[in-house]
Amino acid sequence: MSEHIDIDHELITIRHYLHAHPERSFREFDTSIYLTDQLKAHGIEILHNPLETGVVGLIQGEDGPGPRIGLRADIDGLPIVEDSGLEFSSVNEGVMHGCGHDLHMTGLLGAAFWLAEHRDKFAGSIKILFQPSEETGQGARAMIDAGLVDDVEAIIGTHNNPNYAPGQLAIGVEPMMAGCVKFRVTLHAQGTHAGYPYKGTGPIEALSSIILSLQTIVSRNVTPFHPLVLSVTEVHGGHVWNVVPAEAGFQGTVRYFHKSDGNLVGRRFKEVAEHTAEAYGISADVVWDDFQDPLVSDPGLAKAVAADVNDYAQLEPIRQSMAGEDFCEFAKVTLPVFAFVGSNGQEGCADWHSPHFVGLDESIPTFVNFYVNAALRVLNELSAKLTEGSDIRSLGRFIVH
């Protein structure tokens, strides 16, 4: 049977404090101190963390030996001036929890408090992982490289989603958040006086042609049944009105859900940029950084966790997001389980990374209940595999029978 956890005003107070005091990626010093104090106040052991920010706690179950899993929440804010109208808006100028990481932290704290008070309900142990710097795409990898999840057999994470209402939750086997590419193109030409363009090989015309041609990659190379986005987001070239520049360039991003699509776009992107530049008599340097894979839960564990959701929330279909999430890094070293938790759902509400973003307090109970029930379910599933004598890490993708 699933657990039904009611939250008290303590968690609301915590959420309001965290929202009002956001900090930038890898600078979450006060946030880390605050989280540490909260865990200690509830009798939760704090483990050594070699990173400058972030917090790692440990809750040991009392129902016997068993596997160790992790519960993760990200903790960094964004360089945004908040304009949400909330009474507890950011007091740190130019920084905002515009992605709702304050909700993630509060939900994980609430779950940690409950689990610490109910150690008799589970075997094994649970690491509480407050991860820095998700917004840069570097925090999860930093925790992995520091060895903080070496002993974790599975890891559970969440992201609030304002496109769902409080009380709604989405989890499943399909990709949830997109793979991410950062690209940058620099064109090298021969600058000249603007009155004598024939004496140079200016890059502006080539830049325009390349950007327009890149927009055909998605429409003419990839099936329309696969979500895929290529966006040029910044263009630069020249500083003087009467000089044809010797250099120009642009950068942007690609988002995809199928790795083969990402590879295809990368190949075609370089061909278009380099060959078009060559046709204009100039050269192109292309930087293609495919730095983040699509986020997909382990199918067996996702199905097992999803089977319990309607006991404490409303299970919804996954609405795929073109945003990225560095939780995908954990999938390279352990079994991932991830869910969207509804945080607003009102018509016309602002989405992530907007100065008007509002995550509602009413979403916190669903975070707490998901973390707790997913943790108990995953521990039970992994314990069953261990009882069968299976090597969990050798299974590749966990299968529930």
Side-chain angles (χ1 to χ4, degrees), residues 15-73:
R15 186 272 163 126
H16 290 184
Y17 176 87
L18 289 169
H19 186 88
H21 297 85
E23 295 177 291
R24 294 283 302 277
S25 304
F26 283 133
R27 302 177 191 171
E28 312 96 333
F29 300 108
D30 291 340
T31 302
S32 298
I33 293 171
Y34 182 84
L35 294 170
T36 298
D37 290 345
Q38 291 293 327
L39 293 177
K40 286 182 176 179
H42 286 263
I44 297 170
E45 179 185 359
I46 304 299
L47 301 182
H48 173 65
N49 173 21
L51 304 179
E52 290 188 354
T53 57
V55 181
V56 182
L58 181 66
I59 304 172
Q60 186 70 49
E62 297 176 350
D63 194 28
R68 175 169 292 180
I69 65 170
L71 304 182
R72 172 268 201 180

Side-chain angles (χ1 to χ4, degrees), residues 259-319:
K259 193 67 176 179
S260 58
D261 292 344
N263 294 336
L264 171 63
V265 174
R267 185 179 71 252
R268 292 291 295 127
F269 186 101
K270 293 173 185 177
E271 292 171 350
V272 168
E274 292 172 355
H275 294 166
T276 303
E278 183 182 5
Y280 279 88
I282 64 176
S283 63
D285 293 335
V286 178
V287 176
W288 183 265
D289 182 9
D290 189 355
F291 72 98
Q292 201 166 90
D293 289 340
L295 174 58
V296 189
S297 291
D298 176 81
L301 290 180
K303 291 177 182 177
V305 170
D308 298 330
V309 168
N310 281 323
D311 289 342
Y312 57 86
Q314 180 180 330
L315 182 63
E316 293 287 318
I318 289 174
R319 302 169 195 166

Side-chain angles (χ1 to χ4, degrees), residues 100 114 158 192 199 205 208 235 260 269 314 322 329 378 382:
W114 189 93
T158 63
T192 184
K199 292 187 176 182
E205 296 80 8
S208 302
V235 178
S260 58
F269 186 101
Q314 180 180 330
M322 281 296 180
E329 292 293 321
V378 169
L382 297 182

Side-chain angles (χ1 to χ4, degrees), residues 179-186 207 210-211 214-215 229-236 249-255 265 269 285-291:
C180 298
V181 175
K182 298 177 184 177
F183 62 74
R184 184 173 70 254
V185 175
T186 304
L207 180 148
I210 292 171
I211 291 175
L214 290 175
Q215 300 306 312
V229 171
L230 189 158
S231 296
V232 175
T233 56
E234 187 268 340
V235 178
H236 62 272
F250 60 91
Q251 62 181 346
T253 186
V254 169
R255 305 297 170 102
V265 174
F269 186 101
D285 293 335
V286 178
V287 176
W288 183 265
D289 182 9
D290 189 355
F291 72 98

Side-chain angles (χ1 to χ4, degrees), residues 133-214:
S133 196
E134 186 278 329
E135 296 294 351
T136 67
Q138 299 174 346
R141 175 47 54 182
M143 293 196 107
I144 292 167
D145 291 345
L148 297 174
V149 294
D150 285 352
D151 56 350
V152 169
E153 306 292 354
I155 188 166
I156 299 165
T158 63
H159 205 296
N160 82 91
N161 193 320
N163 299 296
Y164 297 88
Q168 295 180 331
L169 188 147
I171 183 172
V173 300
E174 60 265 46
M176 300 183 69
M177 302 184 77
C180 298
V181 175
K182 298 177 184 177
F183 62 74
R184 184 173 70 254
V185 175
T186 304
L187 302 175
H188 303 284
Q190 177 64 51
T192 184
H193 191 291
Y196 302 92
Y198 57 91
K199 292 187 176 182
T201 55
I204 301 299
E205 296 80 8
L207 180 148
S208 302
S209 294
I210 292 171
I211 291 175
L212 290 174
S213 296
L214 290 175

